[in-house]
Amino acid sequence: QVQLVESGGGLVQAGGSLRLSCVDSGSIFSFNPMGWYRQAPGKQRELVARMTSGGRTDYADFVKGRFTISRDNAKNTMYLQMNSLKPEDTAVYYCNGEGFTLTGAPKAYWGQGTQVTVSS
């Protein structure tokens, strides 16, 4: 069973840093791409950053220069290093992987989310 499990969220002061991790357990293929999304209360889920298996990265404008996405394929783990955090970064952060079902149909997989709270 494919499962994405996030960790690393928490409470941090503005200007601080956090590193989120997403472990992919149970998949029989490599997700491509993998990414991080976030959802603040009352807002839609939005893309934060994503990375292809070839290493290409895309970032939302609001995190460019502050966040860095990376993945360790050998460990089936993806990371999001978040620096210079702002109160507006407060949200639940979700790990996403674009993969396939066992029958070969495309499917988006999601983790359960991890809360990031940035205090001013």
Side-chain angles (χ1 to χ4, degrees), residues 1-4 23-29 31 76 102:
Q1 181 178 358
V2 177
Q3 191 171 14
L4 298 176
V23 177
D24 155 26
S25 60
S27 68
I28 58 174
F29 49 77
F31 295 112
N76 291 342
L102 291 178

Side-chain angles (χ1 to χ4, degrees), residues 64-76:
K64 284 182 179 177
R66 299 189 298 125
F67 292 10
T68 302
I69 187 172
S70 61
R71 61 193 289 183
D72 185 334
N73 290 330
K75 295 182 179 180
N76 291 342

Side-chain angles (χ1 to χ4, degrees), residues 63-119:
V63 302
K64 284 182 179 177
R66 299 189 298 125
F67 292 10
T68 302
I69 187 172
S70 61
R71 61 193 289 183
D72 185 334
N73 290 330
K75 295 182 179 180
N76 291 342
T77 303
M78 178 177 66
Y79 305 97
L80 184 68
Q81 178 66 44
M82 306 186 294
N83 298 328
S84 301
L85 283 161
K86 304 175 182 180
E88 50 264 44
D89 294 318
T90 295
V92 177
Y93 284 71
Y94 295 92
C95 173
N96 163 266
E98 298 297 323
F100 300 90
T101 66
L102 291 178
T103 59
K107 181 177 179 178
Y109 292 87
W110 296 91
Q112 82 287 354
T114 185
Q115 177 71 46
V116 172
T117 303
V118 184
S119 63

Side-chain angles (χ1 to χ4, degrees), residues 32-34 50-59 69 71:
N32 187 33
M34 289 191 75
R50 62 187 170 196
M51 187 174 192
T52 69
S53 59
R56 192 190 78 185
T57 58
D58 293 307
Y59 293 93
I69 187 172
R71 61 193 289 183

